[in-house]
Amino acid sequence: MHGNWKNMLPLRSYFIGILVVFMLFIMGFCIKYIDLMFQPKPTDCSLKAVEKSIELAHCERKLLINTGNGRKMALNVLTPWLAPIIWDGTFDINILDNQHNSTRIGLFVFAVKKYIRFLLPLLESAERYFMIGHNVTYYVFTDKVKEVVKPKMADGHTLQLHDVVADERWQDVSMRRMEILTVFTKEHMANEIDYLVCADVDMVFNDHVGVEILGDLVATIHPVFFLSEKGAFPYERRPISTAYIPHGHGDFYYMAALYGGKVDEIYKLSMACRKGIVEDKKKNIEAVWQEESHLNRYLVYNKPTKVLSPEYLWDSRFGNGQLIKKKRFLVVSKNNDKVRY
Ligand code: UD2
């Protein structure tokens, strides 16, 4: 008996071992599936819960629309005055193309003095990406009509060349555009086109830019300032200038390299900007960003009916590019000292 008991000792350790392993296994199982054991109740589908989520979604939208924060506003698809902000994915180009099947569109550019070198690349890129399938007139103003090389153009596209004086200062060339617009929108374009798009010449189209950009009055958010707080916008802040915008006013900072609208709206815009430029000149002052400052002033008090996201104006040197899915219209890098003087 005694001897038997001694013989059973290893057997007892064996059972204890098995028991320990078993308990460890149970503990492991519990740790792994603890959340299953305390699972929350199935989703509450009661009317109250649904109402709560609708209310939350509503608040979220309200926040997006009402916020005075420039960062959120520029990334929205609606301005606080309910104008669309055009981003990739917000429009169906087939529907819009059908709506605009007989629309006549103009593209207005200045290519004066050394800037003539930018004209052909701009027009060639326009032939690839700008208003494809639509009736387009290029209105080119230059002091070098004879040097203009015409691009190969699609049916329904025409090029008009117009002589313009070459101002000595590049700032005056840039501002002269407003004066020319006041005359041409009234006397020529009113009968020739429905919408006018105004652009800088040192730019290239890099992706689709179509009828989604057409509207009564359209402006483009400046890519440098689309995430900035309003206080950082480089508006003209000197009250002596007619382009003055007081702190607290304004919604976005728009870039003068692309804007547009119905011909009569561009007439009104250019008249106001031209008047401001002339009044400033009388006082011997010039707005901080020339006609861009006057354009911004006009658009603060005459809200655009459509706003283009920075997809429509991009400079490859800028940061934040990851937020911009398509870079449709690009600034061409240039050596200012070489082309302006
Ligand atoms: C910025 C704006 C521009 C305008 C300007 C201030 C960009 C991309 N654009 O341009 O819209 O507000 O500041 O006035 O930031 N031009 C000529 N010949 C010249 C000089 C100018 O044809 O000798 C025309 C040309 O169409 C050019 C435009 O004026 O694209 C604006 O001049 P800019 O491009 O030199 O001015 P920039 O780059 O500072």
Side-chain angles (χ1 to χ4, degrees):
M1 234 352 229
H2 194 75
N4 278 352
W5 183 81
K6 270 193 176 167
N7 285 347
M8 282 176 73
L9 259 181
L11 199 61
R12 204 175 74 154
S13 316
Y14 179 70
F15 278 123
I16 289 173
I18 290 186
L19 197 65
V20 168
V21 170
F22 180 70
M23 282 174 73
L24 283 174
F25 175 76
I26 296 289
M27 275 169 67
F29 182 86
C30 290
I31 288 168
K32 186 155 186 216
Y33 295 106
I34 195 150
D35 33 334
L36 276 182
M37 296 185 330
F38 297 101
Q39 220 179 22
K41 285 182 203 156
T43 314
D44 183 358
C45 293
S46 67
L47 193 60
K48 226 173 168 192
V50 172
E51 273 168 7
K52 189 88 199 149
S53 60
I54 291 173
E55 199 183 304
L56 275 174
H58 178 69
C59 289
E60 206 169 286
R61 259 181 255 125
K62 241 179 125 181
L63 265 177
L64 280 173
I65 291 171
N66 288 347
T67 178
N69 180 332
R71 173 186 307 246
K72 287 247 178 73
M73 270 175 40
L75 294 173
N76 278 351
V77 294
L78 277 182
T79 66
W81 58 96
L82 302 181
I85 305 179
I86 311 302
W87 289 94
D88 190 43
T90 58
F91 57 90
D92 183 330
I93 194 60
N94 296 321
I95 298 173
L96 297 176
D97 274 341
N98 279 334
Q99 286 179 344
H100 283 285
N101 63 4
S102 57
T103 298
R104 301 162 302 165
I105 304 140
L107 180 67
F108 170 90
V109 282
F110 252 47
V112 172
K113 298 192 287 188
K114 293 182 187 167
Y115 281 60
I116 190 76
R117 70 187 64 180
F118 300 114
L119 183 63
L120 186 61
L122 172 76
L123 295 179
E124 283 179 338
S125 68
E127 283 298 306
R128 278 198 297 282
Y129 297 115
F130 181 71
M131 304 291 169
I132 300 306
H134 293 275
N135 192 311
V136 175
T137 304
Y138 300 114
Y139 293 93
V140 172
F141 292 82
T142 179
D143 58 330
K144 301 190 181 325
V145 170
K146 287 196 183 123
E147 287 179 34
V148 171
V149 180
K150 292 185 183 171
K152 199 170 169 296
M153 287 189 292
D155 288 348
H157 290 195
T158 50
L159 174 64
Q160 285 191 18
L161 297 175
H162 298 277
D163 243 318
V164 74
V165 289
D167 289 284
E168 203 174 307
R169 294 172 64 244
W170 69 268
Q171 294 91 334
D172 290 324
V173 177
S174 188
M175 289 188 289
R176 173 82 57 192
R177 295 183 287 182
M178 286 297 176
E179 181 196 327
I180 296 294
L181 278 174
T182 61
V183 178
F184 265 75
T185 44
K186 198 170 174 119
E187 292 176 8
H188 301 264
M189 294 166 180
N191 304 317
E192 295 173 355
I193 52 171
D194 304 301
Y195 294 92
L196 183 63
V197 177
C198 306
D200 274 8
V201 75
D202 49 334
M203 306 285 303
V204 283
F205 292 95
N206 184 55
D207 207 323
H208 166 94
V209 174
V211 293
E212 76 279 2
I213 74 163
L214 302 180
D216 285 10
L217 184 58
V218 182
T220 313
I221 298 173
H222 197 300
V224 169
F225 301 101
F226 81 105
L227 296 179
S228 304
E229 301 298 328
K230 274 188 194 184
F233 293 166
Y235 291 146
E236 174 57 70
R237 299 297 191 186
R238 293 170 301 168
I240 191 175
S241 169
T242 54
Y244 169 60
I245 299 173
H247 280 284
H249 288 215
D251 317 284
F252 301 104
Y253 187 76
Y254 303 106
M255 197 171 189
L258 185 71
Y259 61 93
K262 286 219 167 114
V263 174
D264 59 329
E265 287 294 337
I266 299 300
Y267 171 70
K268 284 190 256 171
L269 177 152
S270 57
M271 283 293 281
C273 292
R274 174 70 190 148
K275 193 166 168 258
I277 290 168
V278 170
E279 278 178 32
D280 277 7
K281 263 196 197 301
K282 280 186 203 154
K283 288 185 240 159
N284 210 19
I285 52 168
E286 186 171 282
V288 58
W289 288 105
Q290 295 83 35
E291 88 290 354
E292 186 169 272
S293 304
H294 292 276
L295 176 77
N296 271 280
R297 155 96 196 187
Y298 183 82
L299 294 170
V300 169
Y301 304 109
N302 302 270
K303 304 278 191 225
T305 59
K306 189 176 270 187
V307 172
L308 306 182
S309 72
E311 285 179 12
Y312 290 86
L313 253 183
W314 195 253
D315 186 322
S316 310
R317 293 167 300 176
F318 300 158
N320 301 316
Q322 70 279 5
L323 287 172
I324 311 298
K325 273 201 207 155
K326 299 217 171 203
K327 282 133 188 155
R328 303 170 187 274
F329 196 35
L330 293 177
V331 176
V332 175
S333 81
K334 64 182 190 289
N335 181 334
N336 285 337
D337 291 340
K338 281 204 172 136
V339 293
R340 286 177 175 169
Y341 308 103

